[in-house]
Every structure is written in structure tokens, then in C-alpha cells.
Amino acid sequence: MREFFHRLAQNRWILPALIVAGFVFAIVAQNFPILNNYTKFVLITAGINIILCASLNLVNGYMGEFSVGHAGFMSLGAYASAIFTTKWIPDSAAFFPVSVLFGGAVAAGIGFLLALLSFKTRGDYLAIITLAFLMIVKSAWENIPYVGGPRGVLGIDPMTTLPWTFFWTVVALWAIRNLVYSKFGRAITAIREDEIAANAMGVRVREAKILAFVVSSFFGGVAGALFAHQISFINPGSFDIVKSTEILVMVYLGGVASLAGSILGAVIFTFLSQALQPLGYWRMVILPLMLVLLMLFRPRGILGMRELSWLIPRRETQKNNAP
Amino acid sequence: MIPAVVADFAGTLPDWGVYLAQQSVNALQLGSIYALIALGYSMVYGVLVMINFAHGDLFMLGAFACMLLVAALPWHLPFVVVLLMVMLIIGLLGVLIERIAYRPLRGGPRVSAVITALGCGLIIENLTLVKFPYSQHMPTDLFVSTSFRFAGVTISTLQLLIIGVSAILMVALDFLIQKTRYGMAMRAISFDAGTVPLMGIPANRIISLTFFVGAALGGAAGMLYGLAYPVIAPSMGILVGWKAFIAAVIGGIGSIRGAVLGGFLLGAVEVMVVAYLPSTYRDLISYSLLLIILIFKPYGLLGSPPNVKV
Amino acid sequence: MVPKKLFCLSLALSSAFLFGCGQGGTPSVKIGLNAELTGEMPAVGASAKNAAELFVSQINEAGGIEVGEQKLPMELVVGDNGAKADQAAAVAQRLISQENVLVMAGPDASACAIPASEIAESLKCPMISPWSTNPKTTVDSTTGKPKNYVFRACFTDIFEARVLAKFVLNTLNAKTAAALYDVASEAPNAQATLFKEVFEKNGGRMVAFETYTTGDRDFSAQLTKIKAANPEVIFLPTYYNDVPLVIEQAHRLGITAQFVGSDAWSSPEILKLGGAHLEGSYFCNHYSTEIATPVAREFMKAYKDRFGQDPDDVAALTYDAFGLITQAVTRAGKLDREAVRNALASIQKYEGVTGTMQFQPGSGDPIKSAVMLQIKDGKFDWVANAEP
């Protein structure tokens, strides 16, 4: 049995097969009544949370910084894409992927600026910059009548379907995986371990940091765009510090510097927060309590610093298995 | 209708002067509360290099502890006694949280402790919500405020109390840190946590004390805040806590005087933006300003870059 | 191997969650309630839930709800939206798709009711919001036409702003007013903006128009600004837990202007929190316990007997929403969402706790009157009626 699983884990076809199967399932589930709408809703939420969690993990886990502003990037992506589909090119499902890309691009652009500006700061100072950024974004939307001010954007076409969510989740995980196991990825991890030493060894710290930040904010924006087209209503208050805290909880629950951990953390968080809803306030006692206990016994999260071998590129696994 | 103003002193200033002075008093009141909370963040950071995200919720508990104490005790206690009791309770709670949730993680990854703190804060907040789902009113007879007018500016005795108590606490803290042996040990730990235990200083006891003092100040701030804004709710620690954290960082986290400066600065910016610009822009302008400060002074106004050993 | 096992375990658990939800049982009329049980306004959610439970237990004691030939028991499914937009949408999805409710009542806060209404509309499930006064709840924002499946049991912000502006201008005889409101909150924001519009159109002057953000507790800067503008009336369309804070701080600053509020004040919690500072203030509401009809008196007595407190307007409106639903289901004669929707739209003169109502032709907004109340001796005192 163990041998079977081991062989399964080593099989290079398993991951593509899973992706194809998942995609087929998503299309079937979307178009045939095998799942009810609520189940679809929860699955889509889980997908969006996986994207959020994995993209924040890039900055907070792999790079070891502490950003608390991820909801801000989500907000940028949500607004940009919602304006795109409600005001610029309304009633056109064909442009939905473009609008998601646009949302991601806007978030990435602002993320790039923020990374440039805050390059000198790090650690807890970066945390505060992202926090201030979050509050500025929320307040900015509240003051722009074009995007509805505090009222937000209404009547967004609910175009976020299961296949699209699955597609973007796979794209996000694939992109982050490839980044993490690239030359830049090593630079990013080196920054986490020791920035000064990394710099001395010739790692291009600045480029690596900015790239990680931009990719992270891009997918934060993509998740926001999907969220906007799932709920079909966004307002500035949807993306506040509480939302950021939720994403942080998912990241550290699942485990830092681990994509499998991000998937797990997001899935657990999504299902538990739906399933524990009847408990009222106790829900938000139980979830953080789990997190605190987990931190005390596994300080890096459930799968912190570990990875499912499926999710590691083939050349890497071979390298690691070599004596 | 409650009588608004009881006495009038010393003539009046021109209108713009009255307005500016009135807004300055408002800023001073808000700033002294921010400063008291920011101190708690800064002290813990100075000693442990860790952001204690549960601090905002300890602040909130300060107000609830005061309410429960006044309701539970049969005697009519003077303000100062209640304040000291609240500080003692919240201080001990701070020590308890450190012992249970942070100490086991010391030496582990730094961010785990931060996340644990975040979790503890959420637990405290939501447990209080389970007990008090509705907003509560602070006891009215603990301190009866009257307003008087001085040179056209309306000042309440409550405002004087808040500003006065905060000032006393800050001076006392400065004395503790600069002039006592405990303070010296605290400063030593924040300078080099690795060497200090080797010098025979009981680091754990000093850290507990730091948590006690930081949390007690947060509790005092909570109680004063509750008196100033007498409808209290378990969620009130979130926003104020994060804002005070910003204040601490602007001042230079780890720096005690920086925290005070940051607190007053944040209070002044928030009030003055509303005073002279449309109030909708308050958060936009004040946080942009703070962002700009941090971009040009990455370690805050009075902070110094961490001493990094290569 | 450990991570892989954990991973598989959690996936197995979540799929069990997905597919394990079964259905079945005896036929009943399932009504959903999408309520603000946690979050910023728990008193609103609690009132809604109480009133709904009261109604359901009353109708079941009377043998159930008449559908066609038989009497069926009514079943209540409550979902907590945490007073948050996205959670309200999720709860609406769950009630409509997973729990298969026939009709959904709630949400009450407009910020929640708007996204929930979009979902009800797209899934063709009748929804009736007891307390959401925002015009957008029942109107499709892209076409500007009324939504087909969304109704409410209360008047709209537009009507309320007109009532309040006229009251300030004509009854209080005030020509200058200031407003202070939570810019990030749906209903207060709409009410302040609409009030300003109507007030200025009818000859009043807004001398200050100040805002704050949800969670703020210090209003001294805004109030100092308002004081300098010296208005006769301060319009305060904020939720019940912020009102006492504002008024107490205003009094400390020496402000003596008259305070006027909206229906967001109406929870009795406000009296506990505000005390003497609220005395003399006016606000607009959906009903008054003082001018209660026999129907209303019966409801008030039953509510007080069961929960030990007087019902607020949320409770009364929720009770009415359930009354409307019951009548519509009986008239439809079958458990079919489309038939219930049609029956609801064509209800003539339903006599509820908050007055008689019927829906405007082709719209989910009822025609009904409002009352002006004053806070006097720690009670809500009836002042005037305002007809539509």
C-alpha cells in the first residue's frame, strides 16, 4: 500500500491527469445539475481562497516578510475588473478573462509601486506600509463617486463559474510553483534566510523582492476579480483588515512556504467557516484557537516548509533524490 | 436635556482661534490615548522584537474590566482605585498570555509568535462577544464630567482627566525605564537579547514585567477611552489597536518616546484633516501622510535601524 | 508521508461535506431567514430571529399553514450573515439552493440585502426584506427596473428622507441643518444624501455635511466643525449603537442643537445606551406601540410574554414579512416559488402590525405610512403620522 502511494507520488502523469480530471469535473458540474448552487458557491470560494492564500504565501512564507495588505490587492483587482465588465464593456461574457487579467494587472501595477517605495523597509515596517496601503485603498474607493463611493459596485454579472475558478487556481499555483523553483525563487528564499548574506553572495535582492511582490499582488487581484464576479456586489468594506486577517490565518494554518499547505489551509478555512456558521461568535473562537494550538505544536503550520512531491517540478525531485 | 456648559472663563478668542484651540484639545485627547496604546506595542517590540497583535484586544478588555468592576463591587470606589485595579487585572492577563502563548515559541520562527498573538486577539475579542453581543454603556457615576469654557474653548473635566492621567502614566514609565534597575535590564535586553542572560539578569522575569507594564498601560488606555467614548463593544479594539500600532511604527517601533510622539502625531493628523478638509478624506489623507513619512524615514521618526550582525 | 496523509484526509473530509448533505422528511413549508445575528448590529438580527420564531410557533400551534387542501407545518431555517455583504450572499445561496426554502426573509441591513437580492433574483426565489429601506434592494441596478422576486415590508429611504425633511422644515421650523453619518454604511449614507437633496430643494440650508467611518468612536473633530457652523438641527442617520456616542460627545462640546434621526435608531438598545442624553430627540420609524391596532397589540403582548421585552420595528416588520409570506403561500395554493411570487405581488391590503400594506403595481415596495417619534422619559413617544 505504502509502496503504491509512493509510486503514485512519483508518477509524472498524475498531476496533469488530476488537472484534466478536475477541469472536466468543473465543466460537468457547472452545466449539469449534479451539485447544487450552494455547493458550487462554496467550491468557488475555496478556489478563490486558494489563490489568495498561495499568493500571500509567496511574500509571507517564501520571502519571510509580513504583509497584512493582501485584501487591498484583492480590492484593486475586484474593482478594476468590475468596472471593466459593468461600465466599459458590459454584457460580454467573452471579455470576462480579459477583465480578470485587467484586475490582476492593476493590482500588480500598484504592487510594483508599493514594492519600489518600500524597498528600503522590511520586516515589521513593511507590515505597517501594507496596512497603511490597505486603509488608503479602502478610503480611496469611498471617495471616488465613479466606482459608487462607499456604496460600491452593483449588478456585476456573476460570471465566475467553476471551470474559470479551477482554471485560475491552477494557473496561480503553476505560476507560483515555477517562480519558487526558479533562479528568482532561490533568491527569494535566500532573502528569507538572510538578506545581507544573500546580497553579499550576489543575489539580486531588489529584483527578486519586487518580482515576488508583483506576482503576489497580481494573483491577489485575480482572486479579487473572481470574487467580484462571484458575489456580484462589492463595496470598500468587503476588503478590510478583517479580510486580510482571514487570509493570514489561512496561510499560517496551512503552512508557510508550501503550496500544498496553502491549498490545505484555504480548503480547511473555507469549509470550517461555512460549517461552523451556526455557532455564531464561537466560530471565530474555534478557528483562532486551532491556529494558536497549531502554532504552539507546529510553529510553521500544518505543512510548513514541506511540499507534496507532485507539486515540485520534476527536475527538483530528481535532484533531491540523488544521493 | 443635560446642561452643556457650567462656567465661562477669560473672555474669548477670535473665531478661528477658538476653532483651532478646540480642535487642538480634541487632538490632544485622542493622541494621548493612541500614545498609551502605542507604548504597549513599542515596549514589547523593544524587548522581544515581536508585534503583540493581541494588544488591541487587551485595550478593549480594559474598558470591559472597568465596567464589570464597577458593577460587581458594592462600594462606590474612587476613580484612581478602579484605574489601578483595571491596570493590575489587564497587566496580569498580559503576563498570562505571554506565558501560555508566546514563551513556548521563543526561539522558534518569529512570525509564529506574531500569528499566535493575532489568534489570541481574535479569541479574546470573540469570547467577549459571546458574553456581550450587544454594545454596553460604561458606568456613568465613576467620573461625572462637567464642561466649562475657557477663552471660548469648551473643555470638559473628562478631557483634562484623560490628558492628565496619560501624562502621569507616561512620565512614570519613562522613570521606570530610564532610572530603575528593571528599566536598565529592559533596555539591555532590547539592545542584545542574547548576551543579557549570560550577565546574570533574569531575562524571563524582565520580559514578564515588560508584558505586565505594556498590558497595564493598554488597560488604562481602554478604561480612559471607555470613559471618553462611553458606548463600548468587543470589536472596538481592532481599529484602535491597528491605528496605535501604526502610531508606534511611525514614532519608531521599540522607541518609547517615539511611541508617544507617534500617538500624538496620529491624533493630530486625524483631527486636523477633519477640521480643515472634507471629513470623507480623513483616512485617505492621514494614511497617505504616514506612508510618506515611512518611505522617507523607514525606521520611523525616532527609531534607529536594527543593529544587524553579519 | 505525514503531509500527504493529512492532505488526503482533509480532502476526504471536505468531499464528505460536499456530498453528504441529504434531504427528505415530511412535507413542510420551508422559510429561510437571512439575519444579522453576529457582527455590527446583533440587536437587529436577534429581533428578526425572535419575531420569526414567534410567528412560526404561532402558526404551527394553529395547525400549520393552509396550502391547497391541506395544512402543512411551517419550518424556519436561519442563516447568519454576520452583517457582511459576502456572507449574506453565501447565506442566500445556501438557503435557496441547499436548504431549498420556498421564500427567503431578510436580510435587514441594506448592505446585506442588496447582494442577497441579486442572488434571489437570479435563482428566481421570492425574497422579502423586512427592514432594508435602500431603493436599490428592489431595483435592478443595470436596467433600473424593479426586480421580479424581491419585496420589502418597509418604506424606502426616498420616502423617509421626504418625511424627515418636511418634519424639520415645517414642524420644527428649522431652516439650517447639519448631518453626521457613517460614510461606509449603506443605509445611513443613502439617507443622509437623500435628506440633503430634499431639504435643500424645499428651502432649507445644509450648513455642514460630515462623515465618519464604521468603527470610529471619536467624533469630536466633526462635531467641533458642526458647532462652528451653528445649525438648528443635526440630522443623525446612524445605527443605534453610534447615536449615543455622538450625542454625548456633542453635549460635552456644548452643542445644544436639536437631534433628528432615522429608523436606524429604532432598537430599544438605544435607550439603554443613551440615557438622558437622548431626551427630546426625534426620529422617523415604521410603527409606534402607542397607536397600535388590535393586531399590533396582540403581537406586542405575545412577543413580550415570550421574550420579556417590547418588540422593536425590526421585529414588527419581520413578523409582517412572515404574515405576507403566509398569505401569499395560501393564496398560491401550492409549494411553488413562481406561484408564491405572483400571489405576493397581487396581495390587496394586508393588515399587519405596522399598518395596512399592499405592493405598488409592478414593484416590490409597499405603500405604507411612517411615524415620527420623540424620545421622552426614556421611552419612544408618538408625535405624528406621515402618510405616503
Side-chain angles (χ1 to χ4, degrees):
Chain A
M1 195 66 181
R2 202 188 165 95
E3 183 63 16
F4 170 74
F5 273 116
H6 192 71
R7 289 239 299 282
L8 196 64
Q10 297 300 320
N11 192 328
R12 58 188 298 201
W13 293 110
I14 194 82
L15 193 61
L18 271 180
I19 291 173
V20 170
F23 201 64
V24 169
F25 172 74
I27 292 175
V28 171
Q30 185 67 37
N31 296 304
F32 299 96
I34 55 168
L35 297 179
N36 69 37
N37 282 310
Y38 172 66
T39 314
K40 282 187 230 164
F41 187 91
V42 175
L43 282 177
I44 290 173
T45 311
I48 293 172
N49 282 342
I50 290 173
I51 302 176
L52 284 171
C53 188
S55 55
L56 184 64
N57 212 336
L58 188 57
V59 168
N60 283 28
Y62 290 101
M63 197 159 75
E65 293 286 1
F66 195 70
S67 163
V68 293
H70 214 52
F73 294 114
M74 194 184 169
S75 165
L76 286 168
Y79 267 88
S81 70
I83 293 163
F84 191 95
T85 55
T86 55
K87 303 209 173 192
W88 297 348
I89 308 183
D91 300 326
S92 166
F95 284 95
F96 176 55
V98 185
S99 82
V100 174
L101 273 178
F102 178 66
V106 168
I110 304 284
F112 176 69
L113 279 181
L114 200 66
L116 271 189
L117 288 176
S118 60
F119 174 67
K120 272 197 286 179
T121 52
R122 70 159 305 178
D124 311 301
Y125 295 89
L126 189 78
I128 206 72
I129 286 191
T130 53
L131 175 60
F133 157 77
L134 178 66
M135 290 184 158
I136 291 169
V137 171
K138 176 169 177 278
S139 187
W141 297 136
E142 282 171 1
N143 282 293
I144 303 176
Y146 182 69
V147 297
R151 214 153 285 156
V153 183
L154 297 165
I156 308 166
D157 221 355
M159 290 184 282
T160 302
T161 55
L162 267 180
W164 275 125
T165 314
F166 189 76
F167 170 76
W168 282 109
T169 310
V170 170
V171 168
L173 290 173
W174 177 78
I176 293 169
R177 178 191 83 155
N178 283 9
L179 179 70
V180 166
Y181 290 105
S182 72
K183 199 179 78 189
F184 273 111
R186 267 178 250 293
I188 289 167
T189 326
I191 294 171
R192 178 186 64 210
E193 298 304 334
D194 192 331
E195 183 169 344
I196 295 170
N199 209 354
M201 300 286 284
V203 172
R204 285 150 76 187
V205 170
R206 188 182 179 121
E207 281 83 348
K209 268 176 129 173
I210 290 178
L211 184 71
F213 220 80
V214 166
V215 171
S216 166
S217 42
F218 176 82
F219 285 111
V222 166
L226 294 174
F227 174 83
H229 291 86
Q230 177 201 21
I231 307 286
S232 79
F233 166 83
I234 49 171
N235 63 350
S238 305
F239 311 99
D240 58 356
I241 186 72
V242 180
K243 189 92 200 172
S244 269
T245 314
E246 282 179 5
I247 310 172
L248 285 173
V249 169
M250 288 182 234
V251 170
Y252 292 95
L253 190 69
V256 290
S258 162
L259 286 178
S262 286
I263 300 173
L264 190 65
V267 168
I268 292 180
F269 186 88
T270 312
F271 289 117
L272 275 187
S273 56
Q274 290 292 333
L276 298 181
Q277 206 133 63
L279 298 182
Y281 293 115
W282 283 106
R283 178 174 69 117
M284 280 313 277
V285 175
I286 292 171
L287 281 173
L289 189 65
M290 276 174 54
L291 185 70
V292 169
L293 291 177
L294 185 75
M295 284 292 129
L296 290 177
F297 295 108
R298 280 184 86 92
R300 290 181 197 278
I302 300 175
L303 293 181
M305 303 287 198
R306 290 149 167 255
E307 198 61 277
L308 277 184
S309 43
W310 294 345
L311 289 168
I312 302 173
R314 194 162 168 71
R315 50 177 199 279
E316 296 289 327
T317 43
Q318 281 171 341
K319 224 178 283 171
N320 288 346
N321 288 345
Chain B
M1 195 67 163
I2 284 175
V5 174
V6 292
D8 205 338
F9 302 105
T12 183
L13 289 163
D15 277 353
W16 65 267
V18 171
Y19 185 68
L20 178 63
Q22 185 78 62
Q23 294 289 21
S24 304
V25 175
N26 297 339
L28 219 54
Q29 177 189 334
L30 192 60
S32 47
I33 291 171
Y34 283 154
L36 272 187
I37 314 169
L39 279 172
Y41 280 111
S42 238
M43 286 182 69
V44 169
Y45 190 89
V47 171
L48 281 185
V49 201
M50 165 200 159
I51 307 167
N52 181 13
F53 277 128
H55 194 62
D57 297 287
L58 289 175
F59 154 84
M60 172 274 294
L61 279 183
F64 275 88
C66 168
M67 180 191 81
L68 291 173
L69 270 179
V70 172
L73 298 175
W75 325 281
H76 181 77
L77 292 169
F79 171 81
V80 181
V81 179
V82 179
L83 180 71
L84 290 176
M85 286 168 78
V86 167
M87 287 177 72
L88 183 72
I89 294 170
I90 304 300
L92 289 177
L93 202 62
V95 174
L96 187 73
I97 292 177
E98 194 268 334
R99 282 300 285 271
I100 297 175
Y102 305 162
R103 191 169 293 180
L105 283 168
R106 215 181 289 157
R110 207 157 67 80
V111 76
S112 321
V114 174
I115 292 299
T116 311
L118 205 62
C120 287
L122 284 170
I123 294 172
I124 293 175
E125 183 198 329
N126 285 287
L127 276 179
T128 320
L129 268 168
V130 170
K131 187 84 186 75
F132 297 103
Y134 301 153
S135 301
Q136 302 288 319
H137 199 283
M138 284 289 275
T140 42
D141 51 353
L142 186 61
F143 183 86
V144 179
S145 177
T146 47
S147 297
F148 59 91
R149 203 175 285 140
F150 184 81
V153 181
T154 311
I155 300 171
S156 66
T157 45
L158 184 65
Q159 279 174 319
L160 293 180
L161 179 87
I162 288 168
I163 298 169
V165 171
S166 313
I168 292 170
L169 287 175
M170 286 178 225
V171 172
L173 178 70
D174 200 54
F175 179 81
L176 176 79
I177 287 179
Q178 301 296 340
K179 298 280 152 73
T180 63
R181 279 174 54 212
Y182 275 114
M184 201 190 286
M186 260 183 222
R187 281 181 290 142
I189 292 180
S190 75
F191 189 74
D192 189 340
T195 324
V196 164
L198 305 179
M199 316 285 278
I201 296 172
N204 273 340
R205 213 192 299 159
I206 302 296
I207 288 170
S208 289
L209 182 80
T210 311
F211 267 88
F212 179 82
V213 175
L217 288 176
M223 179 173 159
L224 292 176
Y225 189 84
L227 289 175
Y229 314 112
V231 175
I232 56 174
S235 57
M236 74 186 197
I238 306 175
L239 201 62
V240 182
W242 285 104
K243 282 183 176 177
F245 172 51
I246 291 182
V249 175
I250 293 297
I253 195 158
S255 151
I256 298 302
R257 289 176 187 183
V260 174
L261 178 69
F264 281 110
L265 189 72
L266 184 65
V269 169
E270 281 200 347
V271 168
M272 290 307 165
V273 170
V274 175
Y276 292 100
L277 297 165
S279 40
T280 357
Y281 294 120
R282 188 195 62 193
D283 287 358
L284 190 63
I285 295 174
S286 46
Y287 293 108
S288 303
L289 206 66
L290 300 179
L291 196 65
I292 291 168
I293 294 181
L294 267 190
I295 286 165
F296 287 101
K297 305 266 307 174
Y299 297 101
L301 293 171
L302 299 185
S304 47
N307 45 343
V308 186
K309 289 173 285 291
V310 182
Chain C
M1 286 316 277
V2 174
K4 212 164 292 164
K5 270 186 204 150
L6 276 171
F7 195 81
C8 295
L9 183 69
S10 71
L11 285 184
L13 276 177
S14 46
S15 40
F17 170 82
L18 287 179
F19 298 103
C21 310
Q23 273 151 2
T26 51
S28 62
V29 183
K30 249 188 173 181
I31 309 293
L33 179 70
N34 192 336
E36 291 75 4
L37 296 177
T38 60
E40 277 150 37
M41 43 187 100
V44 169
S47 286
K49 186 164 171 258
N50 284 351
E53 279 175 354
L54 176 67
F55 188 94
V56 171
S57 70
Q58 280 178 344
I59 200 152
N60 286 344
E61 272 161 33
I65 179 170
E66 211 174 295
V67 187
E69 311 284 271
Q70 49 182 342
K71 279 195 157 191
L72 295 177
M74 190 186 249
E75 190 186 337
L76 181 69
V77 190
V78 185
D80 172 24
N81 61 38
K84 278 185 177 166
D86 52 340
Q87 217 167 307
V91 169
Q93 283 281 13
R94 179 165 70 83
L95 292 176
I96 298 170
S97 315
Q98 174 95 16
E99 303 285 352
N100 267 317
V101 298
L102 183 63
V103 185
M104 178 172 76
D108 284 313
S110 293
C112 298
I114 295 169
S117 74
E118 306 254 339
I119 283 167
E121 181 76 6
S122 68
L123 297 176
K124 298 192 184 339
C125 172
M127 154 178 159
I128 175 160
S129 168
W131 199 55
S132 166
T133 49
N134 194 297
K136 293 198 177 85
T137 304
T138 54
V139 173
D140 188 310
S141 56
T142 36
T143 59
K145 289 201 188 100
K147 287 174 186 148
N148 262 324
Y149 296 87
V150 184
F151 300 83
R152 73 174 104 219
C154 54
F155 49 68
T156 65
D157 286 337
I158 301 171
F159 172 67
E160 182 173 3
R162 210 158 49 219
V163 169
L164 282 163
K166 278 192 188 142
F167 179 79
V168 170
L169 284 166
N170 303 337
T171 314
L172 297 181
N173 241 329
K175 294 281 167 274
T176 55
L180 174 64
Y181 64 97
D182 180 353
V183 71
S185 192
E186 190 60 42
N189 195 328
Q191 283 164 355
T193 323
L194 288 165
F195 176 84
K196 182 173 187 238
E197 211 176 288
V198 185
F199 189 67
E200 285 179 340
K201 208 190 280 167
N202 289 296
R205 206 157 55 83
M206 290 301 280
V207 289
F209 202 62
E210 297 299 315
T211 64
Y212 62 92
T213 307
T214 315
D216 278 356
R217 268 142 208 276
D218 178 86
F219 311 106
S220 57
Q222 290 93 329
L223 287 168
T224 304
K225 214 169 170 182
I226 289 176
K227 190 187 175 195
N230 199 20
E232 291 162 83
V233 164
I234 299 177
F235 180 46
L236 208 58
T238 47
Y239 282 116
Y240 62 92
N241 34 13
D242 286 348
V243 174
L245 274 173
V246 177
I247 300 189
E248 200 160 339
Q249 285 177 50
H251 286 164
R252 257 187 236 143
L253 276 169
I255 292 175
T256 52
Q258 173 72 50
F259 282 95
V260 173
S262 70
D263 66 307
W265 283 32
S266 64
S267 169
E269 284 292 309
I270 201 174
L271 298 171
K272 281 185 220 156
L273 297 175
H277 287 280
L278 293 175
E279 284 294 301
S281 303
Y282 295 97
F283 70 99
C284 181
N285 203 10
H286 301 270
Y287 92 121
S288 161
T289 49
E290 277 172 68
I291 51 162
T293 56
V295 182
R297 265 200 294 276
E298 214 170 284
F299 160 70
M300 277 153 46
K301 188 177 174 302
Y303 192 94
K304 184 143 193 182
D305 286 348
R306 188 164 168 154
F307 303 108
Q309 63 187 57
D310 283 326
D312 56 7
D313 62 339
V314 177
L317 290 168
T318 308
Y319 194 82
D320 279 357
F322 274 78
L324 284 166
I325 293 169
T326 307
Q327 204 179 77
V329 171
T330 304
R331 279 167 44 118
K334 52 184 169 180
L335 300 182
D336 173 65
R337 286 177 178 163
E338 194 65 36
V340 172
R341 183 253 153 224
N342 291 336
L344 204 51
S346 60
I347 278 180
Q348 296 288 326
K349 292 238 175 277
Y350 172 77
E351 202 198 330
V353 172
T354 60
T356 55
M357 56 183 110
Q358 70 184 78
F359 293 101
Q360 293 169 22
S363 149
D365 299 335
I367 308 166
K368 61 192 291 192
S369 56
V371 291
M372 284 302 299
L373 303 180
Q374 184 178 31
I375 297 178
K376 221 182 199 172
D377 306 321
K379 282 209 309 263
F380 296 152
D381 226 29
W382 176 80
V383 178
N385 268 4
E387 300 302 329

